[in-house]
């Protein structure tokens, strides 16, 4: 597959433009409702599918199939990210109207980190072809480990080494200050809890990338397709969170389905030089497994209610609601007040 420089430039331009549009659309802090999340999810999915059709037009059905397989795998594995994001937001008691800003910068960082991981993976595969077998074995191991995890194996921010290190190194307030990550207090800049949330979101995505990127390399070794399938799937992660966060408790069999997908693509990678598994078959198996897991989950949990939310960390409150008369300097040098405040600036 030969990809000209202008194709890379065009993809990056589309991504930057869409990120700018998303940022402008959410420049004012507000609660993202289901209807808005559904509309944005439709936009991101349409964008991803359209790009797949562009790949089909320029490079043919085989490469388009590889792109769609990678896109579906990344999109499905991203559901686990949604579950972790919900735990982090609940732990810190992040007001819903500020969650989109965290996820926006989280996705921006995820794109940068994943581009670096993909470049490193492509270099390793080109230099050491046997690394594919290592990736395959790792995916099989990860899938088996995921299948054996119980429902009690949840993320606990209290036990996070990253969070403990952050609190030790970075001075942090006990209150949120709008959408700001830093505020000026007593003549020095200090972080707000929202920055700690962003750090945990970024770290969690890096952890998930360790699984998802090798999984996409199992269906295509083309760097252009690996990056674009990752990017267009990740771009819709924010809308997916607001759409699914309230019903995550109903996906009881999804983890088992994801485990089967990881084992499947891992075995496919291990048998790369023995048995050629067509791309259409890989995509069909992944789609069938995930559809079955989702349908079975919804049938099993019909009529169920959401479990109680996890207890939040003590001491984190919203300064805007608890101290209406207090003014805080923002990093941009402006002074916020209860009247006339612009929540869109940090």
């Amino acid at each position: 597959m030969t990809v000209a420089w202008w194709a890379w430039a065009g993809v990056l331009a589309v991504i930057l433009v869409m990120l700018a549009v998303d940022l402008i659309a959410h420049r004012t802090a507000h609660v993202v409702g289901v209807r808005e999340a559904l509309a944005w999810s439709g936009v991101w999915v349409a964008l991803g599918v359209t790009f797949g059709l562009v790949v089909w037009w320029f490079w043919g059905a085989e490469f388009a199939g590889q792109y769609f397989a990678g896109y579906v795998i990344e999109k499905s594995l991203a559901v686990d990210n949604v579950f972790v994001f919900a735990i982090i937001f609940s732990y810190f008691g992040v007001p819903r109207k500020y969650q989109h800003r965290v996820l926006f910068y989280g996705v921006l960082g995820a794109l940068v980190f994943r581009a670096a991981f993909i470049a490193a993976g492509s270099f390793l595969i080109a230099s050491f072809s046997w690394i594919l077998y290592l990736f395959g074995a790792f995916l099989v191991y990860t899938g088996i480990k995921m299948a054996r995890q119980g429902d009690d194996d949840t993320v606990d921010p209290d036990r996070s080494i990253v969070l403990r290190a952050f609190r030790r190194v970075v001075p942090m307030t006990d209150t949120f200050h709008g959408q700001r990550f830093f505020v000026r207090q007593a003549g020095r800049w200090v972080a707000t809890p929202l920055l700690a949330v962003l750090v945990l979101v970024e770290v969690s995505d890096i952890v998930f990338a360790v699984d998802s990127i090798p999984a996409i390399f199992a269906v295509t070794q083309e760097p252009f397709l690996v990056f674009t399938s990752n990017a267009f799937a990740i771009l819709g992660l924010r809308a997916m969170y607001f759409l699914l966060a309230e019903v995550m408790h109903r996906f009881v069999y999804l983890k088992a389905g994801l485990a089967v997908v990881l084992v499947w693509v891992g075995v496919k990678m291990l048998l790369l030089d023995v048995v050629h598994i067509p791309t259409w078959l890989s995509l069909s198996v992944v789609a069938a497994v995930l559809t079955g897991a989702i349908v079975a989950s919804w049938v099993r949990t019909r009529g169920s209610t959401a479990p109680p939310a996890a207890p939040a960390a003590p001491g984190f409150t919203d300064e805007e609601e608890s101290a209406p008369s207090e003014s805080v300097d923002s990093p941009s040098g402006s002074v916020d007040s209860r009247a006339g405040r612009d929540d869109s600036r940090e």
Side-chain angles (χ1 to χ4, degrees), residues 183-190 329:
V183 293
R184 192 174 180 85
Q185 290 186 344
R188 64 169 184 168
W189 292 108
V190 294
D329 292 335

Side-chain angles (χ1 to χ4, degrees), residues 4 16 35 38 68 87 151 223 258 301 309 320 337 343:
L16 292 176
R35 181 176 298 181
L38 185 61
F68 280 119
I87 292 176
D151 294 335
L258 295 176
T301 59
E320 289 196 345
S337 63
D343 280 335

Side-chain angles (χ1 to χ4, degrees), residues 207-220:
V207 172
F208 281 110
V210 174
D211 294 338
S212 64
I213 291 178
I216 297 178
F217 273 119
V219 294
T220 179

Side-chain angles (χ1 to χ4, degrees), residues 180-254:
R180 293 158 183 80
F181 296 116
F182 293 96
V183 293
R184 192 174 180 85
Q185 290 186 344
R188 64 169 184 168
W189 292 108
V190 294
T192 69
L194 211 60
L195 183 63
V197 174
L198 177 60
V199 169
L200 287 183
V201 166
E202 292 285 11
V203 171
S204 68
D205 185 78
I206 291 174
V207 172
F208 281 110
V210 174
D211 294 338
S212 64
I213 291 178
I216 297 178
F217 273 119
V219 294
T220 179
Q221 282 85 57
E222 297 291 340
F224 184 72
L225 298 181
V226 177
F227 173 74
T228 52
S229 60
N230 242 271
F232 286 113
I234 288 297
L235 283 173
L237 187 56
R238 299 178 304 288
M240 179 189 292
Y241 167 78
F242 291 109
L243 191 62
L244 300 181
E246 299 299 325
V247 294
M248 280 302 300
H249 64 284
R250 297 197 59 181
F251 293 93
V252 292
Y253 297 127
L254 183 60

Side-chain angles (χ1 to χ4, degrees), residues 22-340:
D22 188 30
L23 185 60
I24 292 172
H26 297 89
R27 63 186 179 277
T28 302
H30 66 279
V31 176
V32 179
V34 174
R35 181 176 298 181
E36 181 181 354
L38 185 61
W40 274 102
S41 293
V43 169
W44 296 121
V45 170
L47 182 64
V49 172
T50 300
F51 183 79
L53 297 177
V54 170
V55 172
W56 196 323
W57 178 268
F58 281 96
W59 291 284
E62 175 60 27
F63 289 121
Q66 293 177 14
Y67 164 82
F68 280 119
Y71 179 83
V72 171
I73 290 173
E74 177 59 42
K75 201 74 171 175
S76 58
L77 290 174
V79 178
D80 251 7
N81 293 50
V82 171
F83 176 72
V84 174
F85 294 163
I87 292 176
I88 294 173
F89 286 148
S90 175
Y91 174 82
F92 282 90
V94 181
R96 291 186 63 187
K97 62 181 179 178
Y98 304 146
Q99 292 176 3
H100 183 276
R101 177 57 62 92
V102 175
L103 293 179
F104 176 85
Y105 286 107
V107 166
L108 193 61
L111 291 173
V112 174
F113 282 119
R114 287 173 184 244
F117 289 165
I118 291 168
S122 299
F123 172 78
L124 289 174
I125 292 173
S127 303
F128 312 100
S129 58
W130 52 264
I131 203 76
L132 288 171
Y133 296 109
L134 187 61
F135 284 172
F138 174 75
L139 290 173
V140 171
Y141 166 78
T142 303
I144 294 174
K145 182 180 177 181
M146 182 182 291
R148 296 178 62 182
Q149 285 180 342
D151 294 335
D152 295 330
D153 295 326
T154 57
V155 176
D156 184 1
D158 260 334
R159 295 184 296 179
S160 170
I161 297 176
V162 173
L163 181 57
R164 291 202 298 267
F166 180 87
R167 285 170 167 166
R168 190 177 300 114
V169 175
V170 181
M172 186 173 70
T173 68
D174 290 332
T175 58
F176 295 100
H177 294 270
Q179 298 187 98
R180 293 158 183 80
F181 296 116
F182 293 96
V183 293
R184 192 174 180 85
Q185 290 186 344
R188 64 169 184 168
W189 292 108
V190 294
T192 69
L194 211 60
L195 183 63
V197 174
L198 177 60
V199 169
L200 287 183
V201 166
E202 292 285 11
V203 171
S204 68
D205 185 78
I206 291 174
V207 172
F208 281 110
V210 174
D211 294 338
S212 64
I213 291 178
I216 297 178
F217 273 119
V219 294
T220 179
Q221 282 85 57
E222 297 291 340
F224 184 72
L225 298 181
V226 177
F227 173 74
T228 52
S229 60
N230 242 271
F232 286 113
I234 288 297
L235 283 173
L237 187 56
R238 299 178 304 288
M240 179 189 292
Y241 167 78
F242 291 109
L243 191 62
L244 300 181
E246 299 299 325
V247 294
M248 280 302 300
H249 64 284
R250 297 197 59 181
F251 293 93
V252 292
Y253 297 127
L254 183 60
K255 187 175 289 291
L258 295 176
V260 172
V261 169
L262 289 178
V263 171
W264 163 252
V265 296
V267 170
K268 178 180 183 296
M269 187 172 281
L270 289 172
L271 299 178
L272 195 61
D273 293 329
V274 179
V275 178
H276 173 68
I277 301 177
T279 301
W280 66 266
L281 180 58
S282 295
L283 181 57
S284 299
V285 170
V286 170
V289 169
L290 294 175
T291 301
I294 292 172
V295 171
S297 295
W298 281 81
V299 171
R300 172 70 176 80
T301 59
R302 184 183 303 165
S304 67
T305 58
F316 295 124
T317 57
D318 187 358
E319 177 270 347
E320 289 196 345
E321 297 177 359
S322 62
S325 62
E326 182 181 354
S327 64
V328 180
D329 292 335
S330 71
S332 61
S334 62
V335 177
D336 289 326
S337 63
R338 187 65 174 175

